[in-house]
Amino acid sequence: MTTCPTTLPDTTSATRAFRDRVIVRDEIDRYLRTGDFIDEARIEADLRRAVNPDPARIRDILAKSLAIETLLPEETAVLLQVADPGLRQAMEATALAIKHKVYDNRIVTFAPMYISSYCVNRCQYCGFNADNSQQRRRQLTLDEIRAEAAAMCGRDGHKRVMAVYGEHPRTGASFIAESLQAIYSVEVKTRRGKTSVRRINVNAAPMSIDDLKIIRKGGIGTFQVFQETYHRRTYAKVHPADTIKGDYDWRVTCMHRAFDAGIDDVGLGVLFGLADWKFEVMGLVTHARELERHAKIGPHTFSVPRLHPASGSDISRHTPSPFTDDDFIHALTVLRLAVPYTGLICTARESEALRNRCLGLGITQMDASTRIGVGAYAAEPVCQEIDKQQFLLGDNRTLEQLICDLARRGTITSFCTAGYRCGRTGGCIMDALKTGKEGKFCKVNAVLTFREWLDDFASPEALKICEPVLLSELAEIREQLPAFYPVVKAHYDRIAAGERDLFF
Ligand code: SAM
Ligand code: SF4
């Protein structure tokens, strides 16, 4: 285990020097030359004008979403102001229809791996905040990272990891790249074959273009950074100005830099509960449209974390801007409708009941067997300790339990990681998603990877619940893609015989 001080030795000079090294002013200014693309006055005006929307207008907007077109901010505002239960139902039904059109009948699973809780920032809502003396901090060594990877893929069968890092000189770009390589290097024997982590997404602080190039070479999947709040005054209240994170503009331009560094797969998010949730949804959609303008590629995913209790954080227990379960459902529905090709991640921060409800709104990714302590997968027994993790979780289902619950609803779990490894990312995947082509690839790869997981990890009870879903998906491929089916079936049979990692 590596130990180092929470903050740098002298918070006023060393932290400032670190901040000045990290933030490259020119790499903010070049993206904001025409002004702030998050135009608060315009967002607020759009929301005001959209109060009491006309049902006919809503139906027109839903038709546009169903054609997989990104909505305008003013159209998004209209959907956010719908209060009528019948119209809300129509919106949810359309959201689910879009999910099926773009992503078919599948959910992708992953698990977060917390690599370091050291952080120089002082975000008021986070247990890793540098001022929190209750937090027992830890940074994994490369050996410990390999042990985590082995535990995650060997015990539960995870193939996708979200690697999470605090911001600290000890966890700079080179360390992140090395840690990705360490995770990819682990191969574990299973009941019928072998397995490994095949895709690593990264949730880390914004970086310079040079640093982003380093983590691209390390093998990053999606680069995920949440703006936390798009509302500048609220942002300033919860992120002290003398920290790196206190620089709103450095954060809001980080995906522009990612694209310019060659990372064409990015994830946006907001920490709901800090500012008005309708404003935040408008912020996310506006940001997505700006990325479409800048790089011709929108975000691959939206994340919708909301404040959960964290050690040493008062505001995590007293949400500054209430965000109820019903607001959560409304926000997810509007995001699915406003940017129809973008995946939606609903994490184990939320309860099992709410996550099940969100399946009906078109979410695409869920985590399970989730542990958010640093080094928590290799450690036994499993426990949630608030002083050893960022916040507390709401859903503690294992991956097998989640997979069985999904199968009972007729939904297949996908472990597919082929898109990224075949170069179907960025603009290429956006086009494939918009035209429904990616859904077909995904269906085939979902079937192949689910066969692998069932043979390697499923209990006899899980097998009984899941096998019918798998066979019905296979039958659908035979019916819908008759010319392709023989090749798919040949791959399927090879996997059933013990070969691994075959994909299209
Ligand atoms: N340090 C990096 C950063 O802040 O961008 C990435 C890691 S940070 C641990 C990942 C995310 O956790 C943050 O972007 C924030 O949205 C979320 N988070 C922080 N505190 C939280 C809390 N109390 N409840 C729920 N999510 C929280
Ligand atoms: Fe550090 Fe990220 Fe937590 Fe802020 S949210 S304190 S930057 S780990």
Side-chain angles (χ1 to χ4, degrees), residues 22 50 141 185 194 207 263 339 352 360 384 398 413-414 461 467:
V22 169
T141 62
S185 72
K194 59 184 182 184
M207 283 169 230
I263 297 175
V339 194
E352 176 180 338
Q384 282 211 64
T398 63
T413 299
S414 174
E461 301 73 43
E467 189 98 35

Side-chain angles (χ1 to χ4, degrees), residues 26 41 84 91 113 125 131 144 172 176 187 238 251 259 289 316 362 401 403 425 439 446 486 498:
D26 169 60
D84 176 79
M91 283 165 58
M113 185 197 288
Y125 44 80
D131 289 338
E144 287 169 332
I176 294 179
E187 199 171 85
V238 294
R251 200 163 181 90
F259 285 122
R289 291 182 63 88
S316 71
Q401 284 168 335
I403 287 174
T425 59

Side-chain angles (χ1 to χ4, degrees), residues 114 116-119 121 123-128 163-168 202-206 224-229 239 245 251 269-272 274 305-311 313 315-317 347 349-350 390-392:
Y114 277 68
S116 172
S117 51
Y118 286 100
C119 192
N121 293 309
C123 312
Q124 306 282 292
Y125 44 80
C126 177
F128 294 169
V164 184
Y165 308 78
E167 182 164 29
H168 197 277
V202 169
N203 186 312
Q224 204 183 59
V225 175
F226 307 152
Q227 186 61 24
E228 318 299 11
T229 171
H239 303 109
K245 193 137 163 193
R251 200 163 181 90
V270 141
L271 182 54
F272 283 97
L274 295 174
R306 59 175 166 173
L307 272 184
H308 277 251
S311 86
S313 160
I315 73 161
S316 71
R317 286 159 208 282
T347 69
R349 288 177 177 86
E350 304 306 329
Q390 195 191 8
F391 48 80
L392 291 177

Side-chain angles (χ1 to χ4, degrees), residues 158-195:
H158 279 297
K159 302 193 195 313
R160 273 177 185 248
V161 163
M162 172 67 69
V164 184
Y165 308 78
E167 182 164 29
H168 197 277
R170 298 291 292 264
T171 51
S174 301
F175 174 78
I176 294 179
E178 279 172 32
S179 61
L180 301 185
Q181 288 297 310
I183 298 170
Y184 283 129
S185 72
V186 172
E187 199 171 85
V188 176
K189 272 208 160 113
T190 59
R191 208 156 55 198
R192 298 282 305 280
K194 59 184 182 184
T195 191

Side-chain angles (χ1 to χ4, degrees), residues 446-503:
V447 163
L448 298 178
T449 54
F450 200 38
R451 177 76 275 157
E452 262 191 44
W453 187 86
L454 288 178
D455 289 347
D456 285 341
F457 295 99
S459 65
E461 301 73 43
L463 204 56
K464 234 185 268 160
I465 296 164
C466 297
E467 189 98 35
V469 178
L470 181 64
L471 295 179
S472 110
E473 292 289 317
L474 197 59
E476 230 179 75
I477 295 170
R478 189 177 51 213
E479 203 182 295
Q480 290 177 0
L481 306 166
F484 192 23
Y485 179 74
V487 198
V488 176
K489 185 64 170 56
H491 270 49
Y492 181 89
D493 291 340
R494 281 166 61 190
I495 285 173
E499 261 188 83
R500 291 290 170 263
D501 204 14
L502 303 176
F503 54 84

Side-chain angles (χ1 to χ4, degrees), residues 129-404:
N129 129 40
D131 289 338
N132 181 12
S133 55
Q134 293 160 34
Q135 184 68 224
R136 284 182 277 158
R137 294 177 198 266
R138 192 172 169 193
Q139 179 188 347
L140 298 179
T141 62
L142 293 180
D143 278 345
E144 287 169 332
I145 290 170
R146 284 186 274 270
E148 284 290 269
M152 290 169 90
C153 45
R155 187 171 48 225
D156 293 302
H158 279 297
K159 302 193 195 313
R160 273 177 185 248
V161 163
M162 172 67 69
V164 184
Y165 308 78
E167 182 164 29
H168 197 277
R170 298 291 292 264
T171 51
S174 301
F175 174 78
I176 294 179
E178 279 172 32
S179 61
L180 301 185
Q181 288 297 310
I183 298 170
Y184 283 129
S185 72
V186 172
E187 199 171 85
V188 176
K189 272 208 160 113
T190 59
R191 208 156 55 198
R192 298 282 305 280
K194 59 184 182 184
T195 191
S196 56
V197 172
R198 297 177 188 161
R199 179 183 172 108
I200 314 169
N201 302 328
V202 169
N203 186 312
M207 283 169 230
S208 66
I209 294 174
D210 282 348
D211 281 350
L212 287 161
K213 284 182 180 163
I214 294 172
I215 60 168
R216 179 171 62 84
K217 283 203 191 113
I220 188 175
T222 306
F223 180 48
Q224 204 183 59
V225 175
F226 307 152
Q227 186 61 24
E228 318 299 11
T229 171
Y230 285 95
H231 190 257
R232 276 182 186 268
R233 255 169 305 138
T234 308
Y235 191 93
K237 270 192 212 153
V238 294
H239 303 109
D242 60 346
T243 59
I244 300 175
K245 193 137 163 193
D247 195 320
Y248 179 108
D249 291 338
W250 178 241
R251 200 163 181 90
V252 86
T253 51
C254 74
M255 295 315 183
H256 292 69
R257 290 191 293 280
F259 285 122
D260 291 351
I263 297 175
D264 60 2
D265 191 322
V266 303
L268 303 181
V270 141
L271 182 54
F272 283 97
L274 295 174
D276 173 49
W277 68 271
K278 292 182 183 175
F279 184 95
E280 303 292 28
V281 173
M282 292 291 284
L284 280 171
V285 173
T286 308
H287 198 167
R289 291 182 63 88
E290 163 65 13
L291 295 181
E292 286 182 357
R293 186 203 62 75
H294 172 72
K296 311 272 173 295
I297 304 169
H300 187 177
T301 53
F302 284 135
S303 297
V304 289
R306 59 175 166 173
L307 272 184
H308 277 251
S311 86
S313 160
D314 279 347
I315 73 161
S316 71
R317 286 159 208 282
H318 306 103
T319 305
S321 184
F323 184 55
T324 64
D325 283 1
D326 188 55
D327 297 337
F328 188 83
I329 287 164
H330 195 163
L332 271 179
T333 310
V334 174
L335 285 171
R336 164 55 59 241
L337 294 166
V339 194
Y341 59 83
T342 292
L344 274 180
I345 303 176
C346 183
T347 69
R349 288 177 177 86
E350 304 306 329
S351 68
E352 176 180 338
L354 185 60
R355 294 223 292 172
N356 286 342
R357 171 83 172 84
C358 292
L359 284 166
L361 313 171
I363 59 170
T364 56
Q365 293 193 31
M366 297 169 88
D367 54 334
S369 289
T370 304
R371 301 190 191 183
I372 58 171
V374 179
Y377 292 96
E380 293 296 352
V382 193
C383 61
Q384 282 211 64
E385 286 183 71
I386 196 157
D387 292 336
K388 284 193 185 165
Q389 60 193 49
Q390 195 191 8
F391 48 80
L392 291 177
L393 293 174
D395 184 355
N396 290 302
R397 272 178 295 176
T398 63
L399 182 58
E400 178 167 292
Q401 284 168 335
L402 176 71
I403 287 174
C404 289

Side-chain angles (χ1 to χ4, degrees), residues 49-61 78 82 87:
R49 268 196 296 270
V51 172
N52 296 325
D54 169 17
R57 174 106 201 269
I58 293 161
R59 277 190 286 277
D60 287 348
I61 296 172
V78 168
V82 173
L87 290 172

Side-chain angles (χ1 to χ4, degrees), residues 35-50:
D36 189 354
F37 56 85
I38 303 292
D39 180 343
E40 291 194 10
R42 170 144 191 225
I43 290 178
E44 277 159 9
D46 279 342
L47 283 168
R48 261 194 320 274
R49 268 196 296 270

